[in-house]
Each structure stands twice: as C-alpha cells, then as structure tokens.
Amino acid sequence: MDNLRCMTVGLVLVYHVFFLYNHIGLPGAMGDTGGGRLFDVFLYVVYPWCMFVLFLIAGMCARYSLKKRSSREFLKERATKLLIPSTIGLFVYHWIGGYLNIKIGGGADSIPAALLYPISALSGTGPLWFIQMLFLFSVLVVLLRSVDRNDRLWRWCGKCSFPVLLFLVVPIWGAAQIGNLPVLIMYRFGIYASAFLIGYLIFSHERIQALLERFHLPLLAASILLAALYTLCYFGENYLFSLQDFFTNAYLWSATLAILGCGRAFLNRKVSSYLSQASFGLYILHYPVVLSVCYALIRFFRLPPLANYAGALILEFSISFALWELFRRIPVVRSLVLGMRRK
C-alpha cells in the first residue's frame, strides 16, 4: 500500500504539470505551450481514478492505524497531520499558491493591498482539499467504530466474492451523484467517501487483496481497454464533470481494481519510512512550486513543447523535495505546514 500511495502521489505531481499546460480550456491553464493536444491524453487516462485510489488506500491505512491506536489517539494524530496543514498552513505557505492563481488570472490589481494576503491564503487550498476531506472521513470511521464495537460490519464485508467486488461499481456510481459542491467541484463527498469506506471495510482484508491479485491480469486488460474507450469518448471535452457518468465510474472502478491487484502482485515489497513521509510532504508542498515553474517557463522562455513539460516536471520534483528537506528541519514550519511533530 505504501508503494502504491507513493506512486499515486507521484502521478498527482505529473498530472498538475499536464493540467496547467492543458489545451482543453480547463480552468488554470497557462496558455498555449506550442504542443499538440496529444499531451492531453495523459489527463483523460489518469483523472477518473487517481484521487479515488488515494482515498481508498487512505481508508485501508485508517483501518490499520486504528488497530494500534485508540480512537482518541487516532483523531489527535489526524488533526495534527491533516487539519492543521490544511487550515493554518494556508497562512504560512499556501498563500503563495493563492497569490499566483490570482496574479495569473489577472485579478491581483483589483484587490486592495490590505486584503491581498488573507484572500491569497483562503484561495491557496489547491490540492489540500484532499487532506481536508480525509480528516472528515477519519472522523466518520471513528463514529462507525463507536457504533460497531464488535467489528461485525467489517467482518461481513470481508466475505465479498469477486462478482460482488465488480458489482460495487453500481453503489459507487450512485455515490457519485450526491455531495458534489457546485463551484468547488473537487469537493465530491459522495464518491470519495465511498472510496474511503470501501478501503476501510473491504480492501483492508488480506483475503480481498489476495483475490484481486489472482485476477490482476484480466483486470489490467479490462482497464486498458476502458481507458482507451474513455479517452476516445471524452477527448477534447471538459472531463471534470464526467465523474457522474456510469461509463466513467466503470473505468474508474476497473482501473482501481487493476491497480490494487497489480500492486499486490508486483509491488509487495517494503518501502522505507523516509520515502513514505517524503511522498506526503511532496503532495503538501508541490502546488505553489508547480504554479511558479509552469508560469515562469511559459512566460519568460521560448522552449519547445517537450522541453516545457520535461523542465516543469524536473523543477517541480527537485524544488518540492528541497523544500521538504528544509521545512521538516524548521520546528514551527514543520508543524504548521507538514503536520509533523518532533519525535
């Protein structure tokens, strides 16, 4: 699970470069990079399942964490790691991303100087919506744990057969229809809550993971086929609103099952605690970095399209990693931005 989580976080960092350089007209685009729309294929392939997989893995990890901690200890740890960086951290570091969004959008000059900093901070949430929702879902499973003290629901969910796992696409599609905010479209409480609960109740079972490993090759083939069909179907359109479509959920679910099955088959090796911590830190820190890098490359340099993408990726990873190494050594910043406690 740690290997899959690290790799998925890496995909998020890559995704944001392609997103900021998109040719579809999605919000936040930096302008024409000179490249063709072929670069946008990556966005269509990754978007439906990437954050769903992260929430599902987070649900599994929540289950494993609650085996070793009381509910109070679990929530205290989650508040430190998730709630503080996504609230107070906005005013310490992420206001930079908010300011860049305002400036790139041409609105910086219309905001009074006294209000620019607080507005930038409140606008700097960026990818931190993920950890904000993660904290809410963590509270949800603690409430579930208090109601189901004997873990009857968890044990019952562990009896799922493979056809039942495939059928879960229907309730996932149903969950995708509810809890979607109209403007802040990244806050999709229904579908992402279903991912977290499925991870917590079902995929945290060793038996279920072994079942996915058994069928990992057919699942991989199905997900590749659906990825091609999904891209052909939606290419050129705004895919951000496609998560409520049944076909999108079918692709999302097949890709999720394939990723977990293949992860169990090929990535079932221990990952260092340093790499696991670093991946979380990179997720927290990368968005102001990628905004700055993509804007600077497109604004001040005339590079070939491939050089824009490659340069942005290299600079994004290297600068974010350097900031992670710096911030985790500064006591107050370490707590407020990264949610790290001094051991």
Side-chain angles (χ1 to χ4, degrees):
M1 291 304 101
D2 283 340
N3 285 318
L4 285 178
R5 180 171 53 189
C6 292
M7 293 177 67
T8 309
V9 167
L11 272 180
V12 171
L13 270 66
V14 176
Y15 172 86
H16 281 139
V17 170
F18 283 75
F19 179 85
L20 292 173
Y21 282 159
N22 78 83
H23 303 80
I24 309 166
L26 301 178
M30 294 288 178
D32 189 8
T33 61
R37 295 172 62 189
L38 188 61
F39 288 99
D40 296 334
V41 170
F42 178 82
L43 299 173
Y44 290 93
V45 172
V46 170
Y47 174 75
W49 52 264
C50 188
M51 298 309 298
F52 188 92
V53 168
L54 275 181
F55 276 110
L56 190 143
I57 292 175
M60 296 171 66
C61 292
R63 174 69 197 185
Y64 301 146
S65 180
L66 280 167
K67 286 183 177 180
K68 303 176 182 178
R69 296 165 179 81
S70 67
S71 296
R72 184 176 181 179
E73 291 170 339
F74 175 75
L75 286 180
K76 184 178 179 181
E77 181 184 82
R78 289 298 170 111
T80 300
K81 187 175 183 180
L82 304 175
L83 190 60
I84 291 176
S86 63
T87 52
I88 301 175
L90 298 177
F91 294 87
V92 180
Y93 173 72
H94 295 284
W95 66 269
I96 300 172
Y99 172 75
L100 288 170
N101 275 324
I102 295 171
K103 182 174 178 59
I104 293 168
D109 295 334
S110 62
I111 299 176
L115 298 178
L116 187 57
Y117 169 68
I119 291 177
S120 297
L122 295 175
S123 304
T125 302
L128 297 188
W129 64 267
F130 168 66
I131 62 174
Q132 290 173 347
M133 293 179 69
L134 206 55
F135 179 76
L136 293 177
F137 298 157
S138 298
V139 175
L140 177 63
V141 295
V142 167
L143 293 175
L144 178 63
R145 190 190 196 199
S146 66
V147 173
D148 186 21
R149 294 183 180 276
N150 295 321
D151 267 342
R152 293 178 180 176
L153 180 60
W154 179 78
R155 289 197 296 271
W156 180 75
C157 289
K159 299 177 182 179
C160 288
S161 62
F162 187 71
V164 171
L165 292 180
L166 296 178
F167 180 76
L168 285 176
V169 66
V170 176
I172 291 170
W173 171 60
Q177 313 306 312
I178 59 176
N180 303 314
L181 297 190
V183 178
L184 301 174
I185 60 173
M186 70 287 288
Y187 290 95
R188 298 178 178 272
F189 291 95
I191 190 169
Y192 292 137
S194 71
F196 190 87
L197 290 174
I198 288 171
Y200 179 84
L201 292 171
I202 299 177
F203 286 178
S204 58
H205 290 270
E206 186 76 15
R207 174 186 166 273
I208 301 296
Q209 296 174 35
L211 191 60
L212 292 178
E213 181 183 9
R214 179 182 173 187
F215 293 100
H216 71 279
L217 290 180
L219 289 170
L220 179 61
S223 64
I224 291 173
L225 175 61
L226 288 175
L229 294 175
Y230 174 83
T231 303
L232 290 172
C233 181
Y234 289 97
F235 193 73
E237 299 182 17
N238 185 343
Y239 59 80
L240 297 177
F241 296 96
S242 70
L243 275 183
Q244 291 174 271
D245 297 345
F246 183 80
F247 177 61
T248 306
N249 283 268
Y251 167 47
L252 171 157
W253 188 231
S254 68
T256 300
L257 295 177
I259 288 166
L260 292 172
C262 292
R264 170 88 175 195
F266 304 120
L267 301 175
N268 197 12
R269 295 171 177 81
K270 186 176 181 181
V271 65
S272 69
S273 59
Y274 173 82
L275 184 58
S276 182
Q277 281 190 345
S279 67
F280 181 78
L282 291 179
Y283 184 90
I284 294 292
L285 298 172
H286 82 278
Y287 201 64
V289 174
V290 73
L291 277 174
S292 305
V293 166
C294 287
Y295 178 72
L297 288 176
I298 200 72
R299 177 71 174 80
F300 301 110
F301 299 91
R302 294 182 178 274
L303 300 175
L306 188 59
N308 279 322
Y309 285 88
L313 287 170
I314 293 170
L315 290 171
E316 177 193 19
F317 275 88
S318 57
I319 295 174
S320 299
F321 186 79
L323 287 175
W324 149 254
E325 286 291 346
L326 174 64
F327 284 4
R328 74 191 189 102
R329 288 173 168 79
I330 305 174
V332 176
V333 175
R334 174 176 60 219
S335 300
L336 299 181
V337 177
L338 297 174
M340 295 177 65
R341 279 184 158 185
R342 188 173 185 177
K343 292 185 178 180

